[in-house]
């Protein structure tokens, strides 16, 4: 290692970390795939776990979560996709 390379690596400085409050999680106006999947599974279980209505469960979950998000956006609150 040459002297000039060694000096350059020793001169590296660290950036200061922000000291303010931690940023909140980003608000997403649309439910995520995982949100929809979790709600669809809840609907599946509530129906007794009968198979064959996966599309209906998925579409209903999407509608419910989208409506919930719309209401939350109007009120200024963040949505609670837990159902």
């Amino acid at each position: 290692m040459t002297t000039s390379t060694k000096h350059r690596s020793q001169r590296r400085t660290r950036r200061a970390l922000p000291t303010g409050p931690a940023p909140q999680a980003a608000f997403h106006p649309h439910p995520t795939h995982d949100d929809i999947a979790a709600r669809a599974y809840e609907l599946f279980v509530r129906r007794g776990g009968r198979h064959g209505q996966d599309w209906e469960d998925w579409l209903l979950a999407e509608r419910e979560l989208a409506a919930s998000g719309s209401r939350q956006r109007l009120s200024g609150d963040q949505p609670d996709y837990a159902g």
Side-chain angles (χ1 to χ4, degrees):
M1 184 189 294
T2 66
T3 306
S4 62
T5 306
K6 184 176 181 182
H7 289 294
R8 268 188 272 152
S9 65
Q10 289 176 348
R11 284 186 265 167
R12 289 184 192 155
T13 59
R14 292 187 178 182
R15 294 180 188 215
L17 296 175
T19 58
Q24 293 183 351
F27 171 65
H28 299 285
H30 303 288
T32 65
H33 180 272
D34 290 342
D35 294 332
I36 298 167
R39 180 62 185 140
Y41 181 74
E42 290 172 359
L43 295 169
F44 166 75
V45 170
R46 189 172 15 162
R47 280 190 300 96
R50 290 185 317 274
H51 293 277
Q53 294 180 304
D54 52 329
W55 280 100
E56 290 84 359
D57 292 339
W58 186 271
L59 295 173
L60 179 57
E62 276 185 321
R63 282 194 303 270
E64 287 179 355
L65 295 174
S68 172
S70 295
R71 284 193 302 274
Q72 295 295 330
R73 283 191 301 278
L74 291 174
S75 69
D77 297 333
Q78 291 196 5
D80 176 18
Y81 293 135

